[in-house]
């Protein structure tokens, strides 16, 4: 991923694979942290890195357990955010501008909520916060099941990864065969498949348990309140969680044809982020906006981060 260099760093007992790039001249511009989604790796930012590095340092890690980063649980959002904060402090030792897509966007939102001192500006690309529809995302409860998802990946192999990308891809821009093969290899190893499923299980199972609690008559209130409250939003499930996100400015970029996360989900993220948030929708673009529409996403994100 030129001009970035590949390397490894260990923080919080986890070995991360990180792409690093530095601007040609030393600048005081806020560095950028790029967080990818599933089923991708940091290579998803290959179009954005060369543009951002013109005036700022860039770090793009493979998320824990994905790509070439170490697979070491747990994968709950709180733990993942603590590890990302440690990575930022190790690499930058100061605030960053966060750009996150899909699971990377979920973690970007959660990082901004938990560590506002580390996030100056935030860009969220097709990632939910507190609201989404399970009917549009049936893979969420399926991935929460034991055994069955592993069996699917073991039997289907790379066809499962290709199918995940194809199902939510809507633009005419096609993914390079070399990149597609890289994603298939990255999720072929059972360890990395288990890590990816760990993300969904840690986020989804508490919500399923809460739903069951509500349906079971006579269950003690104490048992219900003891359930974990973290979810796919990466923060507490109550509405007050949005108040904890305090960033200078934020931008939501949304593929309007996303079959999993429709536009209203993006609009709900904008409402939660507040008055300093703006939104750009991309007609004819699906869930994987950074790779489906790089000619639009790259200048949009770069201009937002550079704006005074």
């Amino acid at each position: 991923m030129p001009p970035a260099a590949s390397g490894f760093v260990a923080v919080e007992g986890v070995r991360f694979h990180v792409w690093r790039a530095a601007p040609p001249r030393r600048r005081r511009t806020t560095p950028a942290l790029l967080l990818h989604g599933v089923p991708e790796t940091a290579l998803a930012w290959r179009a954005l890195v060369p543009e951002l590095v013109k005036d700022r340092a860039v770090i793009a890690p493979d998320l824990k357990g994905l790509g070439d980063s170490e697979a070491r649980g747990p994968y709950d959002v709180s733990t993942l955010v603590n590890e990302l904060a440690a990575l930022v402090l190790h690499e930058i030792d100061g605030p960053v501008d966060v750009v996150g897509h899909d699971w990377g966007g979920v973690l970007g939102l959660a990082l901004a909520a938990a560590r506002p001192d580390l996030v100056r500006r935030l860009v969220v690309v097709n990632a939910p916060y507190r609201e989404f529809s399970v009917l549009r995302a049936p893979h969420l409860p399926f991935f929460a099941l034991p055994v069955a998802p592993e069996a699917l990946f073991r039997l289907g192999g790379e066809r499962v990864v290709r199918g995940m990308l194809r199902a939510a891809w809507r633009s005419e821009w096609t993914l390079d065969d070399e990149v597609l093969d890289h994603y298939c290899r990255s999720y072929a190893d059972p360890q990395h498949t288990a890590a990816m499923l760990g993300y969904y299980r840690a986020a989804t199972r508490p919500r399923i348990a809460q739903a069951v609690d509500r349906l079971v008559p006579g269950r003690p209130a104490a048992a219900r309140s003891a359930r974990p409250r973290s979810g796919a939003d990466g923060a507490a499930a109550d509405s007050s969680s949005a108040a904890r996100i305090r960033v200078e400015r934020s931008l939501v970029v949304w593929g309007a044809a996303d079959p999993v996360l429709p536009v209203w989900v993006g609009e709900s993220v904008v409402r939660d982020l507040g008055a300093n948030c703006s939104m750009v929708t991309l007609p004819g673009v699906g869930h994987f906006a950074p790779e489906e529409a790089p000619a639009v996403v790259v200048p949009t994100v770069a201009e937002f981060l550079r704006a005074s």
Side-chain angles (χ1 to χ4, degrees), residues 167-189:
W169 192 286
R170 291 294 181 270
S171 81
E172 296 179 356
W173 186 281
T174 58
L175 194 61
D176 293 342
D177 289 340
E178 186 178 2
V179 175
L180 180 57
D181 290 343
H182 163 75
Y183 291 157
C184 290
R185 289 194 304 271
S186 297
Y187 288 84
D189 178 76

Side-chain angles (χ1 to χ4, degrees), residues 177-296:
D177 289 340
E178 186 178 2
V179 175
L180 180 57
D181 290 343
H182 163 75
Y183 291 157
C184 290
R185 289 194 304 271
S186 297
Y187 288 84
D189 178 76
Q191 249 193 338
H192 290 85
T193 299
M196 182 269 289
L197 294 173
Y199 280 66
Y200 290 97
R201 285 167 174 165
T204 306
R205 285 178 174 176
R207 288 173 176 260
I208 294 174
Q210 289 170 14
V212 171
D213 284 346
R214 287 194 293 269
L215 293 174
V216 176
R219 188 170 180 85
R224 292 196 297 271
S225 62
R227 295 289 188 184
R229 304 195 68 194
S230 62
D233 50 29
D238 60 273
S239 59
S240 64
S241 60
R244 290 200 296 272
I245 298 186
R246 300 183 298 274
V247 294
E248 178 187 287
R249 286 180 62 192
S250 54
L251 172 69
V252 172
V253 179
W254 215 264
D258 188 337
V260 179
L261 300 173
V263 172
W264 66 260
V265 177
E267 292 170 342
S268 74
V269 176
V270 174
R271 288 193 297 272
D272 281 334
L273 287 171
N276 290 330
C277 181
S278 54
M279 183 175 185
V280 174
T281 57
L282 309 175
V285 175
H287 181 69
F288 301 99
E291 298 194 90
E292 290 188 57
V296 179

Side-chain angles (χ1 to χ4, degrees), residues 35-41 44-45 63 66 101-105 187 288:
L35 303 175
H36 68 87
V38 170
E40 300 156 299
T41 69
W45 302 113
L63 297 183
L66 308 180
H101 166 246
D102 185 72
W103 262 106
Y187 288 84
F288 301 99

Side-chain angles (χ1 to χ4, degrees), residues 95-185:
V96 292
D97 290 338
V98 178
V99 183
H101 166 246
D102 185 72
W103 262 106
V106 171
L107 296 177
L109 285 158
L111 179 63
R115 293 295 305 269
D117 57 310
L118 292 183
V119 181
R120 185 189 73 117
R121 293 188 178 184
L122 174 64
V123 180
V124 178
V125 187
N126 287 76
Y129 182 40
R130 293 187 302 113
E131 299 181 28
F132 61 91
S133 171
V134 175
L135 296 178
R136 288 289 196 107
H139 64 287
L140 294 179
F142 176 73
F143 283 169
L145 295 173
V147 181
E150 283 88 348
L152 175 66
F153 276 89
R154 185 171 61 253
L155 295 173
E158 68 176 48
R159 287 175 295 175
V160 179
V161 176
R162 292 175 184 268
M164 291 172 69
L165 290 163
R166 185 168 55 250
W169 192 286
R170 291 294 181 270
S171 81
E172 296 179 356
W173 186 281
T174 58
L175 194 61
D176 293 342
D177 289 340
E178 186 178 2
V179 175
L180 180 57
D181 290 343
H182 163 75
Y183 291 157
C184 290
R185 289 194 304 271

Side-chain angles (χ1 to χ4, degrees), residues 48-69:
L48 183 59
V49 169
E51 178 60 32
L52 294 186
V53 79
K54 291 178 180 178
D55 61 358
R56 72 189 65 229
V58 180
I59 56 173
D62 287 336
L63 297 183
K64 185 175 78 167
L66 308 180
D68 289 325
S69 289

